[in-house]
Amino acid sequence: MTENNFWLKKIEISVSEAEKRTGRNAMNMQETYTAYLIETRSVEHIDGQSVLTDSLWRRYSEFELLRNYLLVYYPHVVVPPLPEKRAEFVWHKLSADNMDPDFVERRRIGLENFLLRVVSHPILCRDKIFYLFLTQEGNWKETVNETGFQLKADSRLKALNATFRVKNPDKRFTELKHYSDELQSVISHLLRVRARVADRLYGVYKVHGNYGRVFSEWSAIEKEMGDGLQSAGHHMDVYASSIDDILEDEEHYADQLKEYLFYAEALRAVCRKHELMQYDLEMAAQDLASKKQQCEELATGTVRTFSLKGMTTKLFGQETPEQREARIKVLEEQISEGEQQLKSKNLEGREFVKNAWADIERFKEQKNHDLKEALISYAVMQISMCKKGIQVWTNAKECFSKM
């Protein structure tokens, strides 16, 4: 275990606070942004010495920079996603403003969850840049950029080209890509339905508030029934006001679903990297086969396929034996290099598949556990909510019965 990893195993990480700030961006224009306080606390002592405990502020863009770096340097890992930058799948009472206090609070929780996901990952937790992200406030971005990770990032055009031109895709990764698309589609639909239900539920609860007001006003003009109507109105008012807390709890479960909505893209990123590696492998094999054919044609003096070189030979005459030998020698050297390159790419590809599939299996276990737990908790909450509704009307019935 590395020193950094050992250190990370001995601390607690939290994003404890969010703060609205004003500053100047790279274009020297004033901007308003939110900074998040990351706290690292020692949970035990090592050799009698207290482990470094510190706190520092990070912007959301710095979290993005960290994740982009991890995506490039660990292409076989399903890198945990960040919480949404702007609110999606919101119902009408929620603000879509990314500076809204409630949204900022939910994003703070999401950023903390992201750090906990990374620190609990057996590979990502050992990364030096991640270690510095938690401990080095000044010049951290410069340190990341010095790694040159942007130069190693694959272009979208290259990835798209590989998707359509790879001839022998791995069936497992093809199925995984289809699964990630379906996962994203299903969770998106679920979140949209949930937003519509939240709107309707909010309306139903507020109708109870109208009942409460009507009963209270009615009680003022009744003598014998006044107390019963007043009590029923009170029950209705309490029930109507409880919807705000209920929907706030629901947002917590919605955010858990959103995390796996964004995990779908992380799965596709691993699939795209495999397609790129497979495409490079096929191109290397094709180039090697072409050079072997050229070498064979030169050695035998027969041309199997049409080529510009063949036409040039017919027009301007045959090469001298010395020229042919020189070309054969160059081709043999290129073939030798190509064989080594192909062997290296094959080994790299097998290693990638082995590591990627191990991490995908780890992700599946995590996903099954998290989603099962979240959905059960959501169902329990809904049952509890319905029981409270029944209890309110039972109490109201008792009030009416005593009139």
Side-chain angles (χ1 to χ4, degrees):
M1 184 181 293
T2 64
E3 180 181 351
N4 289 354
N5 190 35
F6 184 68
W7 185 83
L8 290 171
K9 294 291 184 183
K10 304 300 179 182
I11 65 168
E12 292 179 348
I13 301 173
S14 66
V15 180
S16 59
E17 190 178 334
E19 182 179 277
K20 185 177 179 180
R21 295 183 177 183
T22 302
R24 293 194 173 275
N25 58 22
M27 303 295 292
N28 201 33
M29 297 175 65
Q30 190 165 327
E31 64 172 345
T32 301
Y33 62 92
T34 304
Y36 299 88
L37 181 64
I38 302 173
E39 293 186 334
T40 53
R41 294 179 295 274
S42 173
V43 294
E44 65 179 73
H45 297 276
I46 300 175
D47 297 331
Q49 298 294 320
S50 178
V51 179
L52 176 65
T53 303
D54 205 354
S55 62
L56 46 79
W57 294 89
R58 294 287 187 207
R59 295 181 59 173
Y60 184 88
S61 59
E62 292 177 286
F63 281 87
E64 286 183 309
L65 182 60
L66 171 64
R67 186 171 187 274
N68 289 337
Y69 160 83
L70 294 175
L71 282 170
V72 172
Y73 270 85
Y74 302 94
H76 61 279
V77 169
V78 184
V79 179
L82 291 169
E84 56 193 348
K85 193 168 187 175
R86 289 176 177 79
E88 298 178 24
F89 306 103
V90 296
W91 56 287
H92 82 281
K93 285 290 289 181
L94 288 183
S95 172
D97 180 12
N98 64 347
M99 300 302 290
D100 178 74
D102 291 335
F103 173 71
V104 169
E105 172 60 17
R106 295 203 316 276
R107 190 164 67 178
R108 179 197 65 77
I109 295 171
L111 291 173
E112 179 177 288
N113 185 60
F114 166 75
L115 293 180
L116 294 176
R117 294 283 195 202
V118 174
V119 81
S120 64
H121 193 282
I123 297 173
L124 300 181
C125 71
R126 304 179 185 185
D127 186 81
K128 181 181 178 182
I129 294 297
F130 175 57
Y131 171 79
L132 295 176
F133 179 84
L134 299 173
T135 59
Q136 178 182 312
E137 186 162 16
N139 301 321
W140 177 79
K141 288 194 285 188
E142 289 76 5
T143 304
V144 181
N145 292 327
E146 285 171 4
T147 64
F149 79 94
Q150 297 97 331
L151 300 175
K152 298 179 181 180
D154 299 309
S155 70
R156 291 182 180 272
L157 183 61
K158 185 180 178 183
L160 185 64
N161 187 46
T163 299
F164 288 106
R165 296 186 63 182
V166 68
K167 296 177 181 178
N168 298 302
D170 189 311
K171 185 179 179 182
R172 291 175 298 174
F173 285 93
T174 301
E175 291 175 350
L176 180 65
K177 188 160 67 169
H178 291 159
Y179 168 77
S180 66
D181 291 338
E182 290 175 0
L183 178 66
Q184 186 175 43
S185 176
V186 168
I187 294 181
S188 296
H189 183 66
L190 181 59
L191 288 168
R192 281 193 291 269
V193 170
R194 183 260 157 189
R196 290 199 298 269
V197 170
D199 275 328
R200 295 173 69 177
L201 193 63
Y202 185 81
V204 168
Y205 270 68
K206 291 310 176 184
V207 165
H208 285 75
N210 293 336
Y211 278 126
R213 186 178 68 254
V214 169
F215 287 150
S216 295
E217 291 174 355
W218 192 3
S219 69
I221 61 174
E222 295 288 348
K223 294 181 179 179
E224 295 181 1
M225 296 192 304
D227 291 342
L229 290 169
Q230 184 69 35
S231 297
H234 171 72
H235 289 305
M236 296 295 171
D237 288 335
V238 171
Y239 186 63
S241 63
S242 68
I243 187 59
D244 296 314
D245 291 336
I246 289 171
L247 292 182
E248 185 177 333
D249 290 340
E250 277 201 8
E251 284 303 314
H252 170 69
Y253 296 113
D255 287 339
Q256 288 180 305
L257 289 176
K258 285 179 182 178
E259 181 185 19
Y260 280 92
L261 176 71
F262 305 140
Y263 255 123
E265 176 56 31
L267 286 173
R268 285 197 293 271
V270 176
C271 295
R272 284 196 298 270
K273 184 61 181 179
H274 180 263
E275 286 175 341
L276 278 166
M277 295 182 73
Q278 182 65 22
Y279 178 68
D280 287 342
L281 177 65
E282 290 178 3
M283 289 299 100
Q286 184 177 319
D287 184 59
L288 179 61
S290 175
K291 284 184 169 57
K292 286 183 176 181
Q293 182 178 323
Q294 291 177 44
C295 189
E296 183 182 346
E297 289 173 352
L298 283 171
T300 60
T302 59
V303 179
R304 296 182 184 177
T305 58
F306 172 81
S307 68
L308 180 61
K309 186 65 180 175
M311 288 295 296
T312 304
T313 300
K314 289 182 179 180
L315 290 171
F316 300 104
Q318 294 286 339
E319 295 176 311
T320 64
E322 291 78 10
Q323 289 175 320
R324 189 182 300 112
E325 287 296 326
R327 285 190 62 210
I328 290 174
K329 185 176 180 181
V330 170
L331 281 170
E332 286 175 344
E333 290 175 357
Q334 291 176 344
I335 288 169
S336 178
E337 291 175 3
E339 287 174 338
Q340 289 298 321
Q341 186 181 30
L342 188 62
K343 182 179 178 181
S344 175
K345 286 184 179 295
N346 268 309
L347 288 172
E348 184 183 0
R350 285 196 291 269
E351 188 68 17
F352 177 89
V353 170
K354 175 185 173 184
N355 293 333
W357 214 250
D359 197 65
I360 288 165
E361 291 299 324
R362 181 201 61 80
F363 164 77
K364 287 179 178 178
E365 290 182 10
Q366 170 195 302
K367 178 210 63 176
N368 292 342
H369 174 269
D370 290 349
L371 290 182
K372 179 181 177 181
E373 189 176 78
L375 291 172
I376 289 174
S377 298
Y378 183 74
V380 170
M381 189 193 78
Q382 295 295 322
I383 293 169
S384 174
M385 181 179 68
C386 292
K387 285 181 177 179
K388 287 179 181 177
I390 294 171
Q391 187 61 50
V392 164
W393 282 104
T394 301
N395 294 338
K397 179 185 176 183
E398 292 177 358
C399 294
F400 299 150
S401 300
K402 293 177 182 177
M403 290 180 184

